[in-house]
Amino acid sequence: MITRRSLLGAAGATGVALVGGCAREPEIDRSLEPPAAPGDSGAITFQIWDKAQESAMQQIIDAFHEQYPDIDVTMSSAAFASYFERLRIQATGDDLPDVFWINGPNFELYASYGMLQDLSGLEGFDPANYPENLTELYTYQGSPYAIPKDFDTIALWYNRDLLHRAGVDEPTGSWSWEEYRDASETVTRALGGEQIWGNPGGVANQAYIYPLIMQAGGFVLDEGKEGKAVSGYDSPGAIEAFSFLDGMIRDGIAPDVRYTAENVPSDLFNSGRAALLQSGNWEAAQLQDSPVREHLGVAPLIHGSEEANVIHGIGYAMSARSRNKPAASAFLAFLGSEEAHRIQAEAGAANPAFVGTNDAYIEAIPEFSLDVFVEAAETARPYPASQNTSAWLQLEELLFPKILSGDGELEKNAVDLAMRMNGVLADES
């Protein structure tokens, strides 16, 4: 039987210290009860990790109360850095919130250990209302266990003033790798004396490394023999992508990994010290307050031998142990509704996942062409994730800088990452 103590063991593999589980596992009713009616009463808890979205989430709660005035929803927020440690402690203590945010890297862990409610029969929830590649991210063994809240894809942010000063035309479509490198080199050579880079480099996985690997025909995570997941960091496509990034560092076009460890790439771009930034639509909220905001634009993501992008987004989940499932079901169904997605879109809080509601988000921040992120969702690939994603994300954090360190052992270090990641994946099996 899957127990809270065994979840503790899985979490412990990531190096997170938790409290112990109970001695005996109580019987759990994992059935999904019909949602509460508008006149029913109840009290549920709702947990998120982004204080910047508290206002939008409260607006959604207020709209829910208009339909369900006797159901109390208590919202709590934690910093992202501590959110999942807190969630694991709650899980092992049989104290998960009734409804809470979940993300791709942590989803399968909670779904596979029976902590999330199967939403197959949730009244009012239709997976067809969301991008297929996003609902796939929150599906486990053929059943949905979370409702997509929002989504992010990757594009190329640029500073048109810096490009023009260096004599580079701003991108009007998807640049090739070569065009991206050439533009980066031109800006760095022309403006480097002002400590301005063509691109700010870095080792961001979702925004930078994952798409490049996929564009080179490689993969991060895939099914190998007998359906067992395997790492793709030793694949030819991964080596090609790492070599492309390493080449720009070696030639002085982009900063090295020691520099970016102290100078965050998005901060360099935000302060006008980089002309290009490959990143997601989550940057829009921060860039609205940028000192160079009037010079900023966004274009489709660059492409290699293939066009490839990565989609991710927050999911709304319900605890399988919720003690008030009718009220939680009603609230969860409302969170997944078109109305709730429009509320968060109009608040500019996040790019909504409900198909057809993106215009409100695009119009909420009209100075940026955020439609490129929406269009990218049609063909983007789901964020790579497994049962214990957190463990191999720590390996990425440790070894990406080593792979791009310029020590001449790029391929050896990439193979080492793949081998260590495969060890984690084997433990999952």
Side-chain angles (χ1 to χ4, degrees):
M1 178 180 11
I2 293 171
T3 67
R4 292 195 304 278
R5 189 174 296 278
S6 57
L7 175 64
L8 169 63
T14 70
V16 179
L18 302 180
V19 298
C22 298
R24 286 193 60 190
E25 186 73 10
E27 291 297 322
I28 306 166
D29 181 5
R30 290 191 172 88
S31 62
L32 181 63
E33 299 177 28
D40 293 343
S41 61
I44 56 175
T45 53
F46 175 44
Q47 187 166 289
I48 69 173
W49 65 67
D50 188 351
K51 288 187 177 296
Q53 293 198 47
E54 282 185 2
S55 177
M57 292 300 101
Q58 187 59 55
Q59 291 179 48
I60 292 174
I61 292 171
D62 293 342
F64 173 74
H65 280 155
E66 291 181 9
Q67 299 182 28
Y68 296 85
D70 297 319
I71 295 179
D72 294 326
V73 179
T74 301
M75 178 172 62
S76 63
S77 178
F80 180 77
S82 61
Y83 181 87
F84 286 101
E85 178 181 0
R86 176 181 179 181
L87 201 66
R88 289 188 180 103
I89 292 172
Q90 291 169 323
T92 57
D94 195 17
D95 193 32
L96 277 174
D98 295 292
V99 178
F100 53 95
W101 285 4
I102 194 76
N103 68 358
N106 288 276
F107 165 73
E108 190 171 329
L109 176 66
Y110 285 83
S112 64
Y113 278 83
M115 297 294 169
L116 306 185
Q117 178 65 56
D118 184 341
L119 304 180
S120 299
L122 181 64
E123 186 176 320
F125 169 50
D126 183 356
N129 288 328
Y130 315 91
E132 182 178 358
N133 42 19
L134 196 56
T135 56
E136 179 184 337
L137 182 64
Y138 289 116
T139 297
Y140 177 70
Q141 295 185 343
S143 297
Y145 283 85
I147 299 177
K149 170 192 175 293
D150 53 38
F151 72 81
D152 43 66
T153 54
I154 314 303
L156 182 64
W157 293 93
Y158 61 87
N159 184 316
R160 58 176 60 88
D161 176 60
L162 296 182
L163 292 178
H164 292 169
R165 286 176 56 197
V168 177
D169 292 333
E170 60 190 81
T172 57
S174 172
W175 275 347
S176 67
W177 282 16
E178 292 73 20
E179 289 172 315
Y180 175 76
R181 180 192 162 95
D182 289 345
S184 297
E185 181 171 17
T186 300
V187 173
T188 299
R189 305 296 186 222
L191 305 178
E194 303 174 42
Q195 294 187 322
I196 293 173
W197 296 94
N199 77 74
V203 292
N205 55 9
Q206 178 188 356
Y208 204 34
I209 293 179
Y210 289 176
L212 293 181
I213 289 175
M214 296 172 184
Q215 288 168 14
F219 64 94
V220 175
L221 179 72
D222 203 359
E223 289 189 359
K225 296 179 179 179
E226 300 177 356
K228 294 181 179 179
V230 295
S231 172
Y233 282 124
D234 55 352
S235 67
I239 302 303
E240 182 180 346
F242 285 132
S243 297
F244 173 67
L245 299 177
D246 182 65
M248 287 192 289
I249 295 172
R250 285 174 174 270
D251 293 341
I253 296 171
D256 64 35
V257 290
R258 290 165 295 184
Y259 183 88
T260 55
E262 298 182 1
N263 299 272
V264 180
S266 59
D267 290 346
L268 290 174
F269 182 78
N270 189 38
S271 62
R273 293 182 53 206
L276 303 167
L277 177 68
Q278 185 170 301
S279 193
N281 46 280
W282 60 78
E283 300 286 358
Q286 300 297 325
L287 294 176
Q288 286 187 90
D289 299 322
S290 168
V292 293
R293 168 180 170 174
E294 63 183 290
H295 302 303
L296 304 182
V298 63
L301 183 61
I302 66 175
H303 66 273
S305 57
E306 299 180 17
E307 292 188 2
N309 208 309
V310 178
I311 188 170
H312 182 255
I314 297 170
Y316 292 118
M318 182 200 304
S319 169
R321 307 169 182 272
S322 173
R323 293 162 178 80
N324 196 343
K325 287 188 178 179
S329 295
F331 182 56
L332 191 62
F334 185 81
L335 288 171
S337 70
E338 181 176 357
E339 180 181 354
H341 280 75
R342 287 195 181 280
I343 291 173
Q344 70 167 340
E346 291 168 359
N351 185 14
F354 198 101
V355 175
T357 62
N358 304 107
D359 286 349
Y361 175 68
I362 294 170
E363 293 165 3
I365 314 177
E367 60 268 37
F368 300 138
S369 302
L370 299 180
D371 54 310
V372 299
F373 296 101
V374 177
E375 292 169 359
E378 296 178 7
T379 56
R381 305 177 192 182
Y383 184 100
S386 67
Q387 185 189 77
N388 201 6
T389 310
S390 296
W392 52 266
L393 288 182
Q394 289 184 6
L395 293 175
E396 289 182 352
E397 185 177 352
L398 175 68
L399 294 174
F400 277 172
K402 191 173 181 180
I403 292 170
L404 300 176
S405 66
D407 64 1
E409 297 189 331
L410 181 151
E411 186 167 352
K412 176 183 175 182
N413 292 327
V415 170
D416 183 38
L417 172 55
M419 180 181 67
R420 295 195 195 189
M421 180 173 167
N422 281 331
V424 172
L425 297 171
D427 287 343
E428 292 181 0
S429 300

